[in-house]
Amino acid sequence: MDLVASLRLALAESFAFYFKAHSFHWNVRGPLFQQFHDLFGGLYEDVHGAVDDLAERIRTLDALAPASLEEIMSGATILFSPVPPAMEMVMQLIAANDILIAAFTAANDVAIADGQDGIANFLQERLDVHAKWGWKLKATLADDTAV
Ligand SMILES: [Fe+2]
């Protein structure tokens, strides 16, 4: 897969992740509503910013950014479901975050191979951000009596 295709896949997974987190921000219910509403809000705002950055990196490579919802979602593997319970939302976001990390890692490998240091740097920063989101989501599920 070339760099543009790798970035388009990272964009598709990011857009799917963004929408999932935003939908969960709207639809979460339960006694911890405010905590989850805020966590999912931070997630969708962060990933929405990355969607813009990814599309603009594609333009710097003289390729066109997606022009339709079908196109921006093309190739995305993050799954959608009817509104789940809050903790299931967190589990779905952990799985989606792992998919995003895999897509960004693959794109970073191609960027390095192509000598595109600026794009590689951006992708590595996103990998660091998603490692932190993974920690926060997993910590939400963890039993606080465990070590
Ligand atoms: Fe909101």
Side-chain angles (χ1 to χ4, degrees):
M1 196 181 293
D2 68 16
L3 184 53
V4 168
S6 300
L7 290 172
R8 284 193 171 129
L9 181 57
L11 177 58
E13 302 288 18
S14 293
F15 194 81
F17 187 102
Y18 148 72
F19 184 76
K20 179 184 279 289
H22 205 158
S23 170
F24 289 172
H25 167 82
W26 293 325
N27 288 314
V28 69
R29 287 162 291 175
L32 295 177
F33 165 80
Q34 193 64 53
Q35 177 185 327
F36 286 120
H37 181 71
D38 291 348
L39 175 64
F40 300 154
L43 261 174
Y44 89 72
E45 287 178 358
D46 170 57
V47 178
H48 190 266
V51 163
D52 185 56
D53 283 330
L54 278 164
E56 292 180 359
R57 270 18 178 241
I58 290 169
R59 295 292 297 124
T60 67
L61 296 171
D62 284 334
L64 288 174
S68 67
L69 285 174
E70 290 77 9
E71 201 179 346
I72 199 169
M73 289 288 291
S74 176
T77 60
I78 290 173
L79 301 175
F80 290 90
S81 69
V83 176
M87 297 312 281
E88 170 69 20
M89 289 178 175
V90 174
M91 287 188 278
Q92 285 194 24
L93 287 169
I94 289 169
N97 193 60
D98 287 342
I99 289 171
L100 262 190
I101 287 171
F104 276 85
T105 298
N108 179 56
D109 290 346
V110 179
I112 289 171
D114 285 4
Q116 290 283 352
D117 293 347
I119 292 175
N121 185 53
F122 160 71
L123 294 167
Q124 288 161 26
E125 287 177 5
R126 290 306 306 167
L127 283 166
D128 193 45
V129 169
H130 281 285
K132 285 188 76 174
W133 283 124
W135 155 55
K136 291 179 181 180
L137 289 164
K138 288 170 188 160
T140 304
L141 287 183
D143 177 356
D144 65 6
T145 62
V147 175

